[in-house]
Amino acid sequence: MSIVNLDALQVNFAGKKAVSAASFTVEAGETFSLIGASGCGKSTILRVLAGIQREWQGRVDLFGSAITPGKRFSGELRRNVQMVFQDPYASLHPNHTLWRTLAEPLKIHGIGDILQRVNTALEQVGLPADAAQRYPHQLSGGQRQRVAIARALLLRPQLLLLDEPTSALDMSVQAEILNLLNRLKQEHGMTYLLVSHDADVIAHMSDRAAFMAEGVIQRYFDREALVQGEHRMS
Ligand SMILES: Nc1ncnc2c1ncn2[C@@H]1O[C@H](COP(=O)(O)OP(=O)(O)O)[C@@H](O)[C@H]1O
Ligand SMILES: [Mg+2]
């Protein structure tokens, strides 16, 4: 079963096409990536798949079932798709301790064992348990992105949407976070849809990729093409 199946997805903002007829499939356990210049529509596709962007046309299947435009995600679907954003500072509430940030999604979904789950999530991303009492401004950029990843993992999603997850970080920290993501994917059997404009990140992470320009997918790359660096020409 495919985890994601997009067929002729189109998204318009005020009559302007942000995404035109985008089609691709992501199989279970894969990392599929979207490459392309700023403004080409990558984040918009992720936002549709996260249920944040609800106005769209075409066909979108998640976990083998069609999703409906205009409809909020709920229940299992909402748990099963999580997103990590580019800027961990903006995506964490500045006045909430990490404890609150991590406990809240569990409460919302009526999940018990909160203390245990939060501690496990912190440990999985390499943060000490006492970090729970800290605020985002007391953390480095890399630590903040670890928290954002921990928050996404708490609900044990099948699909993780990663929108430029390391582009706000220093090179050395970037590598740590990418390796962490690869390890977690293995351990939890997740599927990744990754957005990056960095050809090295794409080559390091992806099984397959698609290159976008101006809302249109121009080319697809398999693992062999990525190893050969064909995506670097685009
Ligand atoms: N909420 C929005 N309202 C209006 N235009 C938007 C909105 N979100 C994105 N866009 C426009 O849609 C296009 C694609 O944006 P985006 O998906 O964010 O690109 P990327 O992630 O590839 O940089 C851009 O022209 C952007 O300005
Ligand atoms: Mg973007």
Side-chain angles (χ1 to χ4, degrees):
M1 184 190 71
S2 305
I3 299 293
V4 177
N5 191 30
L6 281 194
D7 189 15
L9 176 72
Q10 185 174 319
V11 182
N12 301 310
F13 293 114
K16 190 177 155 284
K17 276 185 192 163
V19 177
S20 262
S23 301
F24 61 80
T25 299
V26 185
E27 303 298 337
E30 260 192 322
T31 296
F32 186 90
S33 299
L34 296 173
I35 337 167
S38 179
C40 73
K42 306 179 299 295
S43 295
T44 302
I45 291 181
L46 260 55
R47 291 163 54 83
V48 168
L49 294 171
I52 303 167
Q53 171 65 38
R54 299 196 195 103
E55 296 299 314
W56 51 269
Q57 288 124 48
R59 182 180 171 102
V60 180
D61 291 352
L62 281 172
F63 315 109
S65 302
I67 62 167
T68 314
K71 217 176 137 196
R72 247 171 219 287
F73 286 7
S74 62
E76 200 182 347
L77 181 59
R78 193 164 148 211
R79 249 197 333 274
N80 253 332
V81 185
Q82 294 295 317
M83 186 152 163
V84 174
F85 298 87
Q86 172 174 2
D87 181 354
Y89 206 50
S91 71
L92 300 176
H93 194 298
N95 300 331
H96 291 182
T97 59
L98 303 195
W99 167 261
R100 184 160 172 197
T101 291
L102 296 172
E104 217 150 58
L106 295 171
K107 287 180 189 159
I108 289 169
H109 286 272
I111 296 168
D113 274 345
I114 292 184
L115 179 62
Q116 174 71 41
R117 285 222 190 196
V118 168
N119 284 341
T120 303
L122 287 170
E123 190 190 331
Q124 280 173 339
V125 299
L127 290 172
D130 64 8
Q133 301 316 317
R134 292 187 218 158
Y135 291 89
H137 75 268
Q138 297 172 310
L139 305 174
S140 68
Q143 286 173 325
R144 285 197 282 266
Q145 198 56 304
R146 286 173 190 269
V147 174
I149 292 165
R151 179 176 53 186
L153 286 179
L154 275 171
L155 298 169
R156 302 185 185 157
Q158 289 188 56
L159 175 64
L160 205 54
L161 305 170
L162 299 160
D163 195 356
E164 310 255 11
T166 60
S167 55
L169 306 174
D170 296 340
M171 282 299 276
S172 61
V173 182
Q174 201 176 103
E176 277 172 26
I177 298 291
L178 293 175
N179 290 335
L180 171 68
L181 286 168
N182 275 337
R183 179 168 64 72
L184 291 169
K185 176 169 174 268
Q186 291 277 322
E187 286 173 8
H188 297 263
M190 285 182 286
T191 302
Y192 284 176
L193 181 49
L194 168 72
V195 162
S196 177
H197 59 257
D198 183 324
D200 290 331
V201 170
I202 297 286
H204 181 61
M205 299 291 287
S206 323
D207 297 299
R208 293 185 302 128
F211 170 71
M212 286 182 77
E214 294 176 5
V216 178
I217 296 183
Q218 312 278 345
R219 249 191 102 173
Y220 299 90
F221 302 94
D222 60 14
R223 181 68 209 150
E224 176 67 18
L226 293 170
V227 168
Q228 296 299 323
E230 287 174 28
H231 63 296
R232 293 170 195 276
M233 318 299 169
S234 336

